């Protein structure tokens, strides 16, 4: 189970790191979508930091099981919020956020099972 957690955590951490980087550097595609959904610009650094913290937490969770589980819970909540934001904006292209939320659920289950 630990190897499965490690694979899922590393892949999810890579995706979160890339997303955080694009948000921090204000990639036009990311910023346009967030602005279109009504996310205030003042939130961008905080949202990017949350994704970066999730990535770090998942990786540290390889050595500290409780932190890995906590990070996975945070990532689940983050992407559930993203799905809700998409739906409130009547944008039904929620697959990327939903897939990342499901990967975080898998990370949580695998981290708990391998502790």
């Amino acid at each position: 189970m630990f190897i499965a957690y490690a694979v899922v955590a590393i892949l999810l951490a890579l995706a979160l790191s890339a997303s955080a980087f694009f948000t921090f550097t204000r990639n036009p595609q990311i910023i346009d979508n967030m602005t279109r959904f009504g996310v205030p610009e003042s939130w961008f650094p905080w949202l990017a930091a949350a994704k970066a913290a999730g990535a770090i937490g998942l990786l540290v969770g390889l050595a500290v099981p409780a932190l890995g589980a906590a990070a996975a819970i945070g990532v689940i909540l983050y992407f559930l919020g993203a799905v809700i934001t998409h739906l409130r904006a009547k944008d039904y292209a929620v697959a990327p956020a939903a897939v990342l939320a499901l990967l975080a659920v898998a990370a949580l289950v695998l981290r708990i099972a391998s502790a």
Side-chain angles (χ1 to χ4, degrees):
M1 288 293 189
F2 178 77
I3 292 173
Y5 169 74
V7 169
V8 170
I10 290 169
L11 291 174
L12 186 54
L14 287 171
L16 288 168
S17 298
S19 183
F21 174 78
F22 289 133
T23 305
F24 273 129
T25 59
R26 298 197 179 251
N27 177 283
Q29 184 177 5
I30 301 290
I31 300 306
D32 290 346
N33 280 337
M34 292 173 88
T35 304
R36 185 168 43 101
F37 299 146
V39 178
E41 274 195 54
S42 62
W43 290 16
F44 295 173
W46 296 106
L47 294 173
K51 290 185 265 190
I56 292 167
L58 288 168
L59 295 177
V60 173
L62 294 169
V64 183
L67 187 57
I73 290 168
V75 174
I76 291 166
L77 293 173
Y78 180 94
F79 284 106
L80 284 178
V83 168
I84 291 167
T85 300
H86 276 264
L87 295 176
R88 288 184 66 193
K90 299 195 184 335
D91 176 66
Y92 301 106
V94 297
V99 166
L100 290 170
L102 290 174
L103 277 175
V105 169
L108 176 62
V109 170
L110 290 168
R111 181 69 272 188
I112 292 170
S114 66

